Amino acid sequence: MNVKNLVILLSFSVLAVSCNRNKSGKSSVTGWNYNDKNMGGFQVAKATDQKTGPGLVFVEGGTFTMGQTEEDVMGDWNNIPRRVSVPSFYIDRTEVANVHYREYLYWLNKVFDPTDPQNLPIVEGALPDTLSWRSELSYNEPMVEYYLRHPGFNYYPVVGVSWKQANDFCLWRSDRVNEGILLQKGFVNKQSLNGQQGADNFTTKSYLLGVGYQPPPGKGATSKKNPLKTPQGQPRTNVTMEDGLLLPDYRLPFEAEWEYAAYGLIDQNPRTSTKKKRGEELVQNRQVYPWSQNPNGLRDVRHGSWQGQFLANFKRGSGDNAGVAGGLNDNAFYTADVKSFYPNAFGLYNMAGNVNEWVHDVFRPLSTLDFDDMPAPTRGNKFQTIVKDPSTGEAMVNDTTGRVVMRDVTDEESKNRRNYQRGNVINYLDGDTASQASYGYGTTTLVSDHSRVYKGGSWNDRAYWLSPGTRRFLEEDQALSTLGFRCAMNSMGGAANGKGTRKTGNQFPTKRSKR
């Protein structure tokens, strides 16, 4: 009997191993093995959760009611409530701080020598507008001179940054993070960091396309232990997106994403029959501020209860930006540290107050009625494509920046498509069948195709603007002392990040992706 049981057990073990191998290492379409040089050498990376990029927090997507939550005291009528769905994504835990932006400026000065007249516009074009602190009737020169540079303000939010500058920062951050991953994994030689100058600098897109500057491979790439192989079974020195190592681009969050993340709506009500959570009722929860339903800070037994208090840096009333000495209400006259106050239920700091934040969207008063309800509702698309060298067919690279050259998709190229017929759809549905309506910027309105949305309220705003549903706009090349930004990133995979095991919010233990 024991021998028989042993035979049965071994049979099941072999079968289990065989099933696992078939599941992960063999095509269910052709029957050919993956990652097998004797069967074609087609490489398939292990399906795993996307690695969380530096500074980011995973936000599980869902459905919520976007827009107005209280009386429209400004009479703008630009945030009519509408239910939308937001796919899962990543967003910065904090606003981008002065020290982070100075790191960006340092890299630009290192790679693009400012003594070269060709590089000067790149370096100077990234500098924040520190003059945005000035006012005709107050003395703010110390903030003009020192706010960006002084170590005392290292971890205070960067301000005076235009939408264009914030967008460029996101592009730079994407390249540095991916370059760092390749360095850590040994696919890029560390000595390459010292040789990058001008157009010869690492960008993710040029690296993936194999054009422009290509960093020399590191020891990990040339080693026989390199897990990446060519079809012939030799170590492969170039990493592709299919290998699962590189991250998607950092970008500015869409307005719907930002608003959804600010509310931090996480279902706390288990179903009595199955003990599982559901969130159908959350779309009706019309909380006004990010901390209203926050399980992390309302009753903190360590520091006492914060119930009923405003957990944000904002202007309480006329002339009241701080409170009374010995009992300051938010401990900040201007901005505050990016990790001030309690984070919301997703673990995000200062989604109300401190500084307003740029989002991706072009402003239109009726955006919520116009854009799609799913996926990733947004306005501001301008479809682009890679410019190719007519003689070689390869992607062209900018001679100054080193970035792959992109161009707008033409209407001629789009006319036969069913899902869109124009390359530039910023003013889509703006008033006539050809969508050529003009807002008459500077004549009849301040809205244009370059007007971008910002949200969240600031240190110099009243409580009304702290509600995530409120919205304002500014031209994309302008800046304010009350306006900063944070970055976001797409989540590749399922709604709950891959296998559906990821939990959100800082009330849960942090989960790290295994590689």
Side-chain angles (χ1 to χ4, degrees):
M1 180 66 71
N2 291 336
V3 174
K4 182 178 180 180
N5 289 340
L6 180 61
V7 171
I8 293 174
L9 180 61
L10 290 173
S11 299
F12 275 111
S13 299
V14 172
L15 179 62
V17 172
S18 176
C19 290
N20 287 336
R21 185 181 295 116
N22 290 343
K23 182 178 179 181
S24 61
K26 180 178 290 189
S27 170
S28 59
V29 175
T30 64
W32 287 47
N33 292 339
Y34 296 144
N35 310 319
D36 187 343
K37 65 178 180 179
N38 297 319
M39 297 196 74
F42 177 53
Q43 280 207 300
V44 177
K46 180 182 178 181
T48 184
D49 288 345
Q50 177 181 326
K51 186 177 179 181
T52 303
L56 299 177
V57 170
F58 176 71
V59 175
E60 185 176 352
T63 299
F64 81 114
T65 302
M66 185 177 179
Q68 182 180 339
T69 57
E70 56 181 344
E71 183 181 358
D72 186 10
V73 297
M74 302 301 294
D76 289 335
W77 199 246
N78 65 3
N79 57 344
I80 302 169
R82 183 191 178 191
R83 189 169 64 178
V84 298
S85 292
V86 176
S88 298
F89 64 102
Y90 295 86
I91 192 169
D92 272 339
R93 186 181 299 275
T94 70
E95 297 144 337
V96 173
N98 285 319
V99 69
H100 305 140
Y101 203 84
R102 292 206 311 269
E103 183 181 359
Y104 168 49
L105 297 176
Y106 169 83
W107 185 90
L108 289 178
N109 277 276
K110 180 181 178 181
V111 173
F112 298 99
D113 182 3
T115 61
D116 185 342
Q118 180 178 247
N119 293 332
L120 195 58
I122 298 175
V123 176
E124 291 188 344
L127 292 173
D129 179 16
T130 58
L131 298 182
S132 62
W133 283 105
R134 282 182 173 170
S135 174
E136 297 94 330
L137 297 175
S138 63
Y139 177 67
N140 293 328
E141 292 307 299
M143 303 298 281
V144 172
E145 293 291 329
Y146 307 125
Y147 179 76
L148 175 66
R149 306 288 182 178
H150 196 282
F153 291 118
N154 271 353
Y155 292 96
Y156 284 52
V158 66
V159 297
V161 175
S162 70
W163 184 94
K164 286 184 175 180
Q165 291 173 322
N167 187 65
D168 287 343
F169 176 92
C170 293
L171 295 175
W172 166 83
R173 185 176 177 184
S174 302
D175 297 334
R176 300 291 70 72
V177 168
N178 281 327
E179 185 180 22
I181 292 173
L182 295 176
L183 285 167
Q184 293 167 10
K185 298 292 183 180
F187 287 102
V188 168
N189 193 314
K190 293 183 179 180
Q191 298 301 319
S192 67
L193 294 177
N194 300 323
Q196 298 186 36
Q197 283 292 321
D200 291 331
N201 72 86
F202 177 92
T203 72
T204 304
K205 187 179 287 291
S206 62
Y207 175 81
L208 291 174
L209 292 173
V211 297
Y213 173 77
Q214 296 295 306
K219 294 181 179 180
T222 56
S223 169
K224 292 182 179 180
K225 296 182 179 180
N226 180 1
L228 308 182
K229 305 294 182 183
T230 66
Q232 292 74 35
Q234 300 300 316
R236 174 160 53 87
T237 59
N238 63 306
V239 175
T240 66
M241 190 57 73
E242 291 92 329
D243 297 321
L245 295 176
L246 300 178
L247 293 177
D249 289 340
Y250 284 80
R251 56 172 174 77
L252 291 175
F254 303 128
E255 181 178 6
E257 288 178 334
W258 191 98
E259 191 170 329
Y260 176 83
Y263 281 123
L265 295 174
I266 298 178
D267 186 21
Q268 304 295 321
N269 303 310
R271 299 173 64 178
T272 55
S273 58
T274 64
K275 302 298 182 182
K276 294 182 179 179
K277 294 180 179 180
R278 63 181 183 185
E280 292 92 340
E281 289 77 23
L282 286 180
V283 296
Q284 301 300 328
N285 287 356
R286 308 299 289 133
Q287 69 183 67
V288 178
Y289 302 113
W291 58 84
S292 299
Q293 301 293 332
N294 186 355
N296 303 313
L298 292 180
R299 296 188 184 278
D300 188 327
V301 295
R302 296 169 299 173
H303 303 96
S305 174
W306 288 87
Q307 187 90 27
Q309 296 196 26
F310 282 89
L311 303 182
N313 172 20
F314 70 105
K315 188 172 185 175
R316 303 302 173 94
S318 180
D320 182 8
N321 280 66
V324 180
L328 298 178
N329 50 36
D330 58 27
N331 292 312
F333 286 86
Y334 298 101
T335 59
D337 189 290
V338 293
K339 283 192 175 181
S340 300
F341 304 103
Y342 281 102
N344 73 358
F346 282 128
L348 309 177
Y349 289 86
N350 288 300
M351 294 301 282
N354 212 22
V355 291
N356 291 285
E357 298 177 19
W358 285 113
V359 296
H360 170 271
D361 293 51
V362 167
F363 176 81
R364 290 294 185 270
L366 299 181
S367 285
T368 54
L369 299 185
D370 290 340
F371 56 40
D372 295 341
D373 56 10
M374 170 71 188
T378 187
R379 176 186 277 274
N381 285 327
K382 182 185 288 187
F383 305 124
Q384 292 191 315
T385 188
I386 296 171
V387 176
K388 294 184 178 181
D389 188 325
S391 60
T392 63
E394 289 187 342
M396 295 183 65
V397 175
N398 188 290
D399 292 337
T400 304
T401 64
R403 293 198 173 279
V404 173
V405 179
M406 307 291 291
R407 66 169 176 82
D408 296 342
V409 172
T410 65
D411 294 349
E412 181 65 24
E413 293 171 313
S414 309
K415 67 179 183 180
N416 292 325
R417 297 200 58 87
R418 296 182 65 87
N419 51 333
Y420 65 93
Q421 281 76 47
R422 300 173 58 207
N424 184 342
V425 290
I426 288 177
N427 61 7
Y428 181 61
L429 295 181
D430 265 359
D432 57 24
T433 56
S435 298
Q436 297 295 329
S438 172
Y439 271 78
Y441 177 76
T443 304
T444 59
T445 179
L446 292 178
V447 177
S448 77
D449 288 350
H450 304 286
S451 301
R452 300 284 178 169
V453 178
Y454 66 88
K455 299 172 74 73
S458 76
W459 57 270
N460 204 31
D461 285 319
R462 300 294 185 92
Y464 171 79
W465 297 108
L466 303 186
S467 175
T470 57
R471 57 203 302 258
R472 286 175 284 185
F473 66 93
L474 186 70
E475 292 298 283
E476 62 186 23
D477 58 354
Q478 297 178 11
L480 302 171
S481 63
T482 56
L483 180 54
F485 70 102
R486 72 179 74 209
C487 304
M489 179 187 289
N490 289 345
S491 173
M492 301 294 105
N497 197 19
K499 299 177 182 178
T501 57
R502 171 88 58 138
K503 294 182 178 180
T504 56
N506 66 349
Q507 68 269 35
F508 299 116
T510 301
K511 179 185 176 213
R512 296 182 179 274
S513 299
K514 295 181 179 179
R515 294 205 175 276

